[in-house]
Amino acid sequence: MKLYLDACCLNRPFDDQLQTRVRLEAEAVLSILEMAEAGELEIIGSDIIDDELSQMPDNERREKVELFLALASSQVALTLAIEQRAIELQKWNIAPLDALHLASAESARADYFLTTVDDLLRRAKRAGLKVKIENPAKWLIQQTTDEN
């Protein structure tokens, strides 16, 4: 199984863990990364993720997130086709950067695009994507339920 985690997912373990939801999503992301390290699934990286991370002002946090990305088994280069698909996705009121992430995930033929952003989840589910989109905690619960 191939997963594309957006920058919000990759940053979740470093967010304030006082809120239960944030803590659960952080644990889910860490579990997903452990599964990738064990070879149970593939993480997809992209030029878009790299670009977004390069703009993070907190160098220490960026370096930690980049360590997570070292688990990526493939890297999606930005292409004209991805840019054109992102423009189509923006018609669904999806922000340009999010549209580029989604188009990159589709291009890589990811099975799932994971994000912690509720608004993106709602809008993308209506856009007729070629990739399933889910919250990392919900995805992990579904996977463990399906196994039993």
Side-chain angles (χ1 to χ4, degrees), residues 51-73:
D51 185 56
E52 188 171 357
L53 295 182
S54 74
Q55 298 175 38
M56 289 175 61
D58 184 336
N59 290 335
E60 184 178 334
R61 184 174 179 150
R62 183 181 65 246
E63 289 170 5
K64 289 177 182 178
V65 173
E66 287 171 345
L67 287 174
F68 289 164
L69 277 176
L71 293 171
S73 58

mmCIF file with all atom_site columns, all heavy atoms in Angstrom, residues 51-73:
data_model
loop_
_atom_site.group_PDB
_atom_site.id
_atom_site.type_symbol
_atom_site.label_atom_id
_atom_site.label_alt_id
_atom_site.label_comp_id
_atom_site.label_asym_id
_atom_site.label_entity_id
_atom_site.label_seq_id
_atom_site.pdbx_PDB_ins_code
_atom_site.Cartn_x
_atom_site.Cartn_y
_atom_site.Cartn_z
_atom_site.occupancy
_atom_site.B_iso_or_equiv
_atom_site.pdbx_formal_charge
_atom_site.auth_seq_id
_atom_site.auth_comp_id
_atom_site.auth_asym_id
_atom_site.auth_atom_id
_atom_site.pdbx_PDB_model_num
ATOM 1   N N   . ASP A 1 51 ? 9.461  21.365 -0.964 1.00 0.00 ? 51 ASP A N   1
ATOM 2   C CA  . ASP A 1 51 ? 9.392  22.825 -1.068 1.00 0.00 ? 51 ASP A CA  1
ATOM 3   C C   . ASP A 1 51 ? 8.687  23.428 0.143  1.00 0.00 ? 51 ASP A C   1
ATOM 4   O O   . ASP A 1 51 ? 9.137  24.424 0.705  1.00 0.00 ? 51 ASP A O   1
ATOM 5   C CB  . ASP A 1 51 ? 8.692  23.235 -2.360 1.00 0.00 ? 51 ASP A CB  1
ATOM 6   C CG  . ASP A 1 51 ? 8.716  24.734 -2.567 1.00 0.00 ? 51 ASP A CG  1
ATOM 7   O OD1 . ASP A 1 51 ? 9.809  25.323 -2.564 1.00 0.00 ? 51 ASP A OD1 1
ATOM 8   O OD2 . ASP A 1 51 ? 7.621  25.326 -2.709 1.00 0.00 ? 51 ASP A OD2 1
ATOM 9   N N   . GLU A 1 52 ? 7.588  22.809 0.545  1.00 0.00 ? 52 GLU A N   1
ATOM 10  C CA  . GLU A 1 52 ? 6.846  23.325 1.695  1.00 0.00 ? 52 GLU A CA  1
ATOM 11  C C   . GLU A 1 52 ? 7.707  23.258 2.964  1.00 0.00 ? 52 GLU A C   1
ATOM 12  O O   . GLU A 1 52 ? 7.743  24.198 3.754  1.00 0.00 ? 52 GLU A O   1
ATOM 13  C CB  . GLU A 1 52 ? 5.547  22.541 1.880  1.00 0.00 ? 52 GLU A CB  1
ATOM 14  C CG  . GLU A 1 52 ? 4.646  23.136 2.922  1.00 0.00 ? 52 GLU A CG  1
ATOM 15  C CD  . GLU A 1 52 ? 3.263  22.500 2.973  1.00 0.00 ? 52 GLU A CD  1
ATOM 16  O OE1 . GLU A 1 52 ? 2.943  21.615 2.154  1.00 0.00 ? 52 GLU A OE1 1
ATOM 17  O OE2 . GLU A 1 52 ? 2.492  22.907 3.854  1.00 0.00 ? 52 GLU A OE2 1
ATOM 18  N N   . LEU A 1 53 ? 8.398  22.164 3.144  1.00 0.00 ? 53 LEU A N   1
ATOM 19  C CA  . LEU A 1 53 ? 9.241  22.019 4.332  1.00 0.00 ? 53 LEU A CA  1
ATOM 20  C C   . LEU A 1 53 ? 10.416 22.992 4.323  1.00 0.00 ? 53 LEU A C   1
ATOM 21  O O   . LEU A 1 53 ? 10.823 23.483 5.378  1.00 0.00 ? 53 LEU A O   1
ATOM 22  C CB  . LEU A 1 53 ? 9.739  20.587 4.464  1.00 0.00 ? 53 LEU A CB  1
ATOM 23  C CG  . LEU A 1 53 ? 8.679  19.521 4.710  1.00 0.00 ? 53 LEU A CG  1
ATOM 24  C CD1 . LEU A 1 53 ? 9.327  18.149 4.857  1.00 0.00 ? 53 LEU A CD1 1
ATOM 25  C CD2 . LEU A 1 53 ? 7.817  19.849 5.914  1.00 0.00 ? 53 LEU A CD2 1
ATOM 26  N N   . SER A 1 54 ? 10.945 23.266 3.139  1.00 0.00 ? 54 SER A N   1
ATOM 27  C CA  . SER A 1 54 ? 12.089 24.182 3.054  1.00 0.00 ? 54 SER A CA  1
ATOM 28  C C   . SER A 1 54 ? 11.734 25.586 3.536  1.00 0.00 ? 54 SER A C   1
ATOM 29  O O   . SER A 1 54 ? 12.612 26.366 3.886  1.00 0.00 ? 54 SER A O   1
ATOM 30  C CB  . SER A 1 54 ? 12.631 24.240 1.618  1.00 0.00 ? 54 SER A CB  1
ATOM 31  O OG  . SER A 1 54 ? 11.752 24.982 0.786  1.00 0.00 ? 54 SER A OG  1
ATOM 32  N N   . GLN A 1 55 ? 10.444 25.894 3.569  1.00 0.00 ? 55 GLN A N   1
ATOM 33  C CA  . GLN A 1 55 ? 9.993  27.219 3.997  1.00 0.00 ? 55 GLN A CA  1
ATOM 34  C C   . GLN A 1 55 ? 9.656  27.289 5.492  1.00 0.00 ? 55 GLN A C   1
ATOM 35  O O   . GLN A 1 55 ? 9.271  28.345 5.986  1.00 0.00 ? 55 GLN A O   1
ATOM 36  C CB  . GLN A 1 55 ? 8.774  27.631 3.165  1.00 0.00 ? 55 GLN A CB  1
ATOM 37  C CG  . GLN A 1 55 ? 9.101  27.746 1.694  1.00 0.00 ? 55 GLN A CG  1
ATOM 38  C CD  . GLN A 1 55 ? 7.884  28.042 0.853  1.00 0.00 ? 55 GLN A CD  1
ATOM 39  O OE1 . GLN A 1 55 ? 7.013  28.796 1.260  1.00 0.00 ? 55 GLN A OE1 1
ATOM 40  N NE2 . GLN A 1 55 ? 7.815  27.454 -0.319 1.00 0.00 ? 55 GLN A NE2 1
ATOM 41  N N   . MET A 1 56 ? 9.833  26.178 6.194  1.00 0.00 ? 56 MET A N   1
ATOM 42  C CA  . MET A 1 56 ? 9.557  26.177 7.631  1.00 0.00 ? 56 MET A CA  1
ATOM 43  C C   . MET A 1 56 ? 10.608 27.008 8.356  1.00 0.00 ? 56 MET A C   1
ATOM 44  O O   . MET A 1 56 ? 11.804 26.800 8.159  1.00 0.00 ? 56 MET A O   1
ATOM 45  C CB  . MET A 1 56 ? 9.572  24.746 8.180  1.00 0.00 ? 56 MET A CB  1
ATOM 46  C CG  . MET A 1 56 ? 8.408  23.898 7.754  1.00 0.00 ? 56 MET A CG  1
ATOM 47  S SD  . MET A 1 56 ? 8.534  22.178 8.310  1.00 0.00 ? 56 MET A SD  1
ATOM 48  C CE  . MET A 1 56 ? 8.566  22.364 10.077 1.00 0.00 ? 56 MET A CE  1
ATOM 49  N N   . PRO A 1 57 ? 10.184 27.925 9.199  1.00 0.00 ? 57 PRO A N   1
ATOM 50  C CA  . PRO A 1 57 ? 11.144 28.789 9.894  1.00 0.00 ? 57 PRO A CA  1
ATOM 51  C C   . PRO A 1 57 ? 11.912 28.084 11.020 1.00 0.00 ? 57 PRO A C   1
ATOM 52  O O   . PRO A 1 57 ? 13.026 28.482 11.352 1.00 0.00 ? 57 PRO A O   1
ATOM 53  C CB  . PRO A 1 57 ? 10.282 29.914 10.458 1.00 0.00 ? 57 PRO A CB  1
ATOM 54  C CG  . PRO A 1 57 ? 8.915  29.334 10.553 1.00 0.00 ? 57 PRO A CG  1
ATOM 55  C CD  . PRO A 1 57 ? 8.805  28.315 9.455  1.00 0.00 ? 57 PRO A CD  1
ATOM 56  N N   . ASP A 1 58 ? 11.327 27.027 11.585 1.00 0.00 ? 58 ASP A N   1
ATOM 57  C CA  . ASP A 1 58 ? 11.954 26.308 12.693 1.00 0.00 ? 58 ASP A CA  1
ATOM 58  C C   . ASP A 1 58 ? 12.873 25.224 12.133 1.00 0.00 ? 58 ASP A C   1
ATOM 59  O O   . ASP A 1 58 ? 12.415 24.150 11.709 1.00 0.00 ? 58 ASP A O   1
ATOM 60  C CB  . ASP A 1 58 ? 10.867 25.703 13.585 1.00 0.00 ? 58 ASP A CB  1
ATOM 61  C CG  . ASP A 1 58 ? 11.403 25.017 14.823 1.00 0.00 ? 58 ASP A CG  1
ATOM 62  O OD1 . ASP A 1 58 ? 12.572 24.583 14.831 1.00 0.00 ? 58 ASP A OD1 1
ATOM 63  O OD2 . ASP A 1 58 ? 10.637 24.904 15.795 1.00 0.00 ? 58 ASP A OD2 1
ATOM 64  N N   . ASN A 1 59 ? 14.174 25.495 12.129 1.00 0.00 ? 59 ASN A N   1
ATOM 65  C CA  . ASN A 1 59 ? 15.151 24.571 11.529 1.00 0.00 ? 59 ASN A CA  1
ATOM 66  C C   . ASN A 1 59 ? 15.158 23.207 12.211 1.00 0.00 ? 59 ASN A C   1
ATOM 67  O O   . ASN A 1 59 ? 15.256 22.170 11.535 1.00 0.00 ? 59 ASN A O   1
ATOM 68  C CB  . ASN A 1 59 ? 16.556 25.172 11.567 1.00 0.00 ? 59 ASN A CB  1
ATOM 69  C CG  . ASN A 1 59 ? 16.708 26.336 10.621 1.00 0.00 ? 59 ASN A CG  1
ATOM 70  O OD1 . ASN A 1 59 ? 15.993 26.447 9.630  1.00 0.00 ? 59 ASN A OD1 1
ATOM 71  N ND2 . ASN A 1 59 ? 17.637 27.221 10.931 1.00 0.00 ? 59 ASN A ND2 1
ATOM 72  N N   . GLU A 1 60 ? 15.067 23.184 13.524 1.00 0.00 ? 60 GLU A N   1
ATOM 73  C CA  . GLU A 1 60 ? 15.109 21.914 14.254 1.00 0.00 ? 60 GLU A CA  1
ATOM 74  C C   . GLU A 1 60 ? 13.900 21.048 13.903 1.00 0.00 ? 60 GLU A C   1
ATOM 75  O O   . GLU A 1 60 ? 14.031 19.853 13.644 1.00 0.00 ? 60 GLU A O   1
ATOM 76  C CB  . GLU A 1 60 ? 15.146 22.182 15.760 1.00 0.00 ? 60 GLU A CB  1
ATOM 77  C CG  . GLU A 1 60 ? 15.284 20.927 16.590 1.00 0.00 ? 60 GLU A CG  1
ATOM 78  C CD  . GLU A 1 60 ? 15.368 21.222 18.068 1.00 0.00 ? 60 GLU A CD  1
ATOM 79  O OE1 . GLU A 1 60 ? 15.794 22.330 18.455 1.00 0.00 ? 60 GLU A OE1 1
ATOM 80  O OE2 . GLU A 1 60 ? 14.992 20.322 18.854 1.00 0.00 ? 60 GLU A OE2 1
ATOM 81  N N   . ARG A 1 61 ? 12.737 21.676 13.875 1.00 0.00 ? 61 ARG A N   1
ATOM 82  C CA  . ARG A 1 61 ? 11.521 20.938 13.517 1.00 0.00 ? 61 ARG A CA  1
ATOM 83  C C   . ARG A 1 61 ? 11.605 20.442 12.078 1.00 0.00 ? 61 ARG A C   1
ATOM 84  O O   . ARG A 1 61 ? 11.243 19.305 11.783 1.00 0.00 ? 61 ARG A O   1
ATOM 85  C CB  . ARG A 1 61 ? 10.305 21.841 13.716 1.00 0.00 ? 61 ARG A CB  1
ATOM 86  C CG  . ARG A 1 61 ? 8.984  21.148 13.467 1.00 0.00 ? 61 ARG A CG  1
ATOM 87  C CD  . ARG A 1 61 ? 7.847  22.070 13.838 1.00 0.00 ? 61 ARG A CD  1
ATOM 88  N NE  . ARG A 1 61 ? 6.570  21.445 13.582 1.00 0.00 ? 61 ARG A NE  1
ATOM 89  C CZ  . ARG A 1 61 ? 5.471  21.683 14.271 1.00 0.00 ? 61 ARG A CZ  1
ATOM 90  N NH1 . ARG A 1 61 ? 5.493  22.526 15.271 1.00 0.00 ? 61 ARG A NH1 1
ATOM 91  N NH2 . ARG A 1 61 ? 4.344  21.094 13.964 1.00 0.00 ? 61 ARG A NH2 1
ATOM 92  N N   . ARG A 1 62 ? 12.072 21.299 11.172 1.00 0.00 ? 62 ARG A N   1
ATOM 93  C CA  . ARG A 1 62 ? 12.201 20.903 9.766  1.00 0.00 ? 62 ARG A CA  1
ATOM 94  C C   . ARG A 1 62 ? 13.113 19.690 9.633  1.00 0.00 ? 62 ARG A C   1
ATOM 95  O O   . ARG A 1 62 ? 12.807 18.742 8.911  1.00 0.00 ? 62 ARG A O   1
ATOM 96  C CB  . ARG A 1 62 ? 12.725 22.062 8.925  1.00 0.00 ? 62 ARG A CB  1
ATOM 97  C CG  . ARG A 1 62 ? 12.799 21.704 7.428  1.00 0.00 ? 62 ARG A CG  1
ATOM 98  C CD  . ARG A 1 62 ? 13.339 22.816 6.560  1.00 0.00 ? 62 ARG A CD  1
ATOM 99  N NE  . ARG A 1 62 ? 14.723 23.091 6.875  1.00 0.00 ? 62 ARG A NE  1
ATOM 100 C CZ  . ARG A 1 62 ? 15.191 24.218 7.413  1.00 0.00 ? 62 ARG A CZ  1
ATOM 101 N NH1 . ARG A 1 62 ? 14.378 25.202 7.700  1.00 0.00 ? 62 ARG A NH1 1
ATOM 102 N NH2 . ARG A 1 62 ? 16.466 24.362 7.666  1.00 0.00 ? 62 ARG A NH2 1
ATOM 103 N N   . GLU A 1 63 ? 14.228 19.695 10.335 1.00 0.00 ? 63 GLU A N   1
ATOM 104 C CA  . GLU A 1 63 ? 15.167 18.563 10.255 1.00 0.00 ? 63 GLU A CA  1
ATOM 105 C C   . GLU A 1 63 ? 14.529 17.271 10.758 1.00 0.00 ? 63 GLU A C   1
ATOM 106 O O   . GLU A 1 63 ? 14.750 16.203 10.182 1.00 0.00 ? 63 GLU A O   1
ATOM 107 C CB  . GLU A 1 63 ? 16.433 18.883 11.048 1.00 0.00 ? 63 GLU A CB  1
ATOM 108 C CG  . GLU A 1 63 ? 17.291 19.937 10.375 1.00 0.00 ? 63 GLU A CG  1
ATOM 109 C CD  . GLU A 1 63 ? 18.436 20.446 11.249 1.00 0.00 ? 63 GLU A CD  1
ATOM 110 O OE1 . GLU A 1 63 ? 18.642 19.908 12.365 1.00 0.00 ? 63 GLU A OE1 1
ATOM 111 O OE2 . GLU A 1 63 ? 19.128 21.385 10.808 1.00 0.00 ? 63 GLU A OE2 1
ATOM 112 N N   . LYS A 1 64 ? 13.712 17.363 11.796 1.00 0.00 ? 64 LYS A N   1
ATOM 113 C CA  . LYS A 1 64 ? 13.027 16.175 12.317 1.00 0.00 ? 64 LYS A CA  1
ATOM 114 C C   . LYS A 1 64 ? 12.022 15.633 11.295 1.00 0.00 ? 64 LYS A C   1
ATOM 115 O O   . LYS A 1 64 ? 11.930 14.427 11.077 1.00 0.00 ? 64 LYS A O   1
ATOM 116 C CB  . LYS A 1 64 ? 12.330 16.499 13.639 1.00 0.00 ? 64 LYS A CB  1
ATOM 117 C CG  . LYS A 1 64 ? 13.288 16.715 14.788 1.00 0.00 ? 64 LYS A CG  1
ATOM 118 C CD  . LYS A 1 64 ? 12.540 17.109 16.047 1.00 0.00 ? 64 LYS A CD  1
ATOM 119 C CE  . LYS A 1 64 ? 13.490 17.369 17.196 1.00 0.00 ? 64 LYS A CE  1
ATOM 120 N NZ  . LYS A 1 64 ? 12.773 17.807 18.405 1.00 0.00 ? 64 LYS A NZ  1
ATOM 121 N N   . VAL A 1 65 ? 11.281 16.535 10.684 1.00 0.00 ? 65 VAL A N   1
ATOM 122 C CA  . VAL A 1 65 ? 10.299 16.115 9.675  1.00 0.00 ? 65 VAL A CA  1
ATOM 123 C C   . VAL A 1 65 ? 11.023 15.518 8.470  1.00 0.00 ? 65 VAL A C   1
ATOM 124 O O   . VAL A 1 65 ? 10.580 14.514 7.900  1.00 0.00 ? 65 VAL A O   1
ATOM 125 C CB  . VAL A 1 65 ? 9.388  17.293 9.255  1.00 0.00 ? 65 VAL A CB  1
ATOM 126 C CG1 . VAL A 1 65 ? 8.485  16.898 8.101  1.00 0.00 ? 65 VAL A CG1 1
ATOM 127 C CG2 . VAL A 1 65 ? 8.555  17.770 10.439 1.00 0.00 ? 65 VAL A CG2 1
ATOM 128 N N   . GLU A 1 66 ? 12.145 16.089 8.089  1.00 0.00 ? 66 GLU A N   1
ATOM 129 C CA  . GLU A 1 66 ? 12.920 15.554 6.969  1.00 0.00 ? 66 GLU A CA  1
ATOM 130 C C   . GLU A 1 66 ? 13.410 14.136 7.261  1.00 0.00 ? 66 GLU A C   1
ATOM 131 O O   . GLU A 1 66 ? 13.522 13.313 6.348  1.00 0.00 ? 66 GLU A O   1
ATOM 132 C CB  . GLU A 1 66 ? 14.078 16.480 6.628  1.00 0.00 ? 66 GLU A CB  1
ATOM 133 C CG  . GLU A 1 66 ? 13.614 17.758 5.931  1.00 0.00 ? 66 GLU A CG  1
ATOM 134 C CD  . GLU A 1 66 ? 14.704 18.807 5.755  1.00 0.00 ? 66 GLU A CD  1
ATOM 135 O OE1 . GLU A 1 66 ? 15.768 18.703 6.419  1.00 0.00 ? 66 GLU A OE1 1
ATOM 136 O OE2 . GLU A 1 66 ? 14.470 19.750 4.968  1.00 0.00 ? 66 GLU A OE2 1
ATOM 137 N N   . LEU A 1 67 ? 13.677 13.829 8.531  1.00 0.00 ? 67 LEU A N   1
ATOM 138 C CA  . LEU A 1 67 ? 14.047 12.454 8.899  1.00 0.00 ? 67 LEU A CA  1
ATOM 139 C C   . LEU A 1 67 ? 12.891 11.495 8.615  1.00 0.00 ? 67 LEU A C   1
ATOM 140 O O   . LEU A 1 67 ? 13.101 10.372 8.171  1.00 0.00 ? 67 LEU A O   1
ATOM 141 C CB  . LEU A 1 67 ? 14.462 12.374 10.366 1.00 0.00 ? 67 LEU A CB  1
ATOM 142 C CG  . LEU A 1 67 ? 15.801 12.972 10.718 1.00 0.00 ? 67 LEU A CG  1
ATOM 143 C CD1 . LEU A 1 67 ? 16.023 12.944 12.237 1.00 0.00 ? 67 LEU A CD1 1
ATOM 144 C CD2 . LEU A 1 67 ? 16.936 12.234 10.005 1.00 0.00 ? 67 LEU A CD2 1
ATOM 145 N N   . PHE A 1 68 ? 11.657 11.947 8.876  1.00 0.00 ? 68 PHE A N   1
ATOM 146 C CA  . PHE A 1 68 ? 10.492 11.129 8.535  1.00 0.00 ? 68 PHE A CA  1
ATOM 147 C C   . PHE A 1 68 ? 10.454 10.869 7.029  1.00 0.00 ? 68 PHE A C   1
ATOM 148 O O   . PHE A 1 68 ? 10.198 9.759  6.578  1.00 0.00 ? 68 PHE A O   1
ATOM 149 C CB  . PHE A 1 68 ? 9.189  11.820 8.942  1.00 0.00 ? 68 PHE A CB  1
ATOM 150 C CG  . PHE A 1 68 ? 8.923  11.898 10.415 1.00 0.00 ? 68 PHE A CG  1
ATOM 151 C CD1 . PHE A 1 68 ? 7.967  12.768 10.887 1.00 0.00 ? 68 PHE A CD1 1
ATOM 152 C CD2 . PHE A 1 68 ? 9.609  11.116 11.326 1.00 0.00 ? 68 PHE A CD2 1
ATOM 153 C CE1 . PHE A 1 68 ? 7.683  12.854 12.242 1.00 0.00 ? 68 PHE A CE1 1
ATOM 154 C CE2 . PHE A 1 68 ? 9.340  11.189 12.687 1.00 0.00 ? 68 PHE A CE2 1
ATOM 155 C CZ  . PHE A 1 68 ? 8.375  12.069 13.143 1.00 0.00 ? 68 PHE A CZ  1
ATOM 156 N N   . LEU A 1 69 ? 10.731 11.909 6.263  1.00 0.00 ? 69 LEU A N   1
ATOM 157 C CA  . LEU A 1 69 ? 10.672 11.784 4.798  1.00 0.00 ? 69 LEU A CA  1
ATOM 158 C C   . LEU A 1 69 ? 11.759 10.878 4.247  1.00 0.00 ? 69 LEU A C   1
ATOM 159 O O   . LEU A 1 69 ? 11.647 10.403 3.124  1.00 0.00 ? 69 LEU A O   1
ATOM 160 C CB  . LEU A 1 69 ? 10.759 13.162 4.149  1.00 0.00 ? 69 LEU A CB  1
ATOM 161 C CG  . LEU A 1 69 ? 9.449  13.910 4.073  1.00 0.00 ? 69 LEU A CG  1
ATOM 162 C CD1 . LEU A 1 69 ? 9.640  15.299 3.497  1.00 0.00 ? 69 LEU A CD1 1
ATOM 163 C CD2 . LEU A 1 69 ? 8.421  13.143 3.277  1.00 0.00 ? 69 LEU A CD2 1
ATOM 164 N N   . ALA A 1 70 ? 12.782 10.635 5.033  1.00 0.00 ? 70 ALA A N   1
ATOM 165 C CA  . ALA A 1 70 ? 13.823 9.706  4.583  1.00 0.00 ? 70 ALA A CA  1
ATOM 166 C C   . ALA A 1 70 ? 13.243 8.302  4.398  1.00 0.00 ? 70 ALA A C   1
ATOM 167 O O   . ALA A 1 70 ? 13.836 7.469  3.705  1.00 0.00 ? 70 ALA A O   1
ATOM 168 C CB  . ALA A 1 70 ? 14.974 9.696  5.578  1.00 0.00 ? 70 ALA A CB  1
ATOM 169 N N   . LEU A 1 71 ? 12.083 8.044  4.971  1.00 0.00 ? 71 LEU A N   1
ATOM 170 C CA  . LEU A 1 71 ? 11.420 6.748  4.813  1.00 0.00 ? 71 LEU A CA  1
ATOM 171 C C   . LEU A 1 71 ? 10.701 6.615  3.467  1.00 0.00 ? 71 LEU A C   1
ATOM 172 O O   . LEU A 1 71 ? 10.233 5.531  3.124  1.00 0.00 ? 71 LEU A O   1
ATOM 173 C CB  . LEU A 1 71 ? 10.407 6.530  5.944  1.00 0.00 ? 71 LEU A CB  1
ATOM 174 C CG  . LEU A 1 71 ? 10.984 6.371  7.345  1.00 0.00 ? 71 LEU A CG  1
ATOM 175 C CD1 . LEU A 1 71 ? 9.866  6.393  8.387  1.00 0.00 ? 71 LEU A CD1 1
ATOM 176 C CD2 . LEU A 1 71 ? 11.783 5.088  7.444  1.00 0.00 ? 71 LEU A CD2 1
ATOM 177 N N   . ALA A 1 72 ? 10.593 7.701  2.741  1.00 0.00 ? 72 ALA A N   1
ATOM 178 C CA  . ALA A 1 72 ? 9.880  7.658  1.451  1.00 0.00 ? 72 ALA A CA  1
ATOM 179 C C   . ALA A 1 72 ? 10.601 6.721  0.490  1.00 0.00 ? 72 ALA A C   1
ATOM 180 O O   . ALA A 1 72 ? 11.812 6.790  0.326  1.00 0.00 ? 72 ALA A O   1
ATOM 181 C CB  . ALA A 1 72 ? 9.780  9.060  0.861  1.00 0.00 ? 72 ALA A CB  1
ATOM 182 N N   . SER A 1 73 ? 9.824  5.857  -0.129 1.00 0.00 ? 73 SER A N   1
ATOM 183 C CA  . SER A 1 73 ? 10.397 4.903  -1.075 1.00 0.00 ? 73 SER A CA  1
ATOM 184 C C   . SER A 1 73 ? 10.402 5.440  -2.500 1.00 0.00 ? 73 SER A C   1
ATOM 185 O O   . SER A 1 73 ? 11.035 4.864  -3.376 1.00 0.00 ? 73 SER A O   1
ATOM 186 C CB  . SER A 1 73 ? 9.635  3.580  -1.018 1.00 0.00 ? 73 SER A CB  1
ATOM 187 O OG  . SER A 1 73 ? 8.265  3.800  -1.303 1.00 0.00 ? 73 SER A OG  1
#
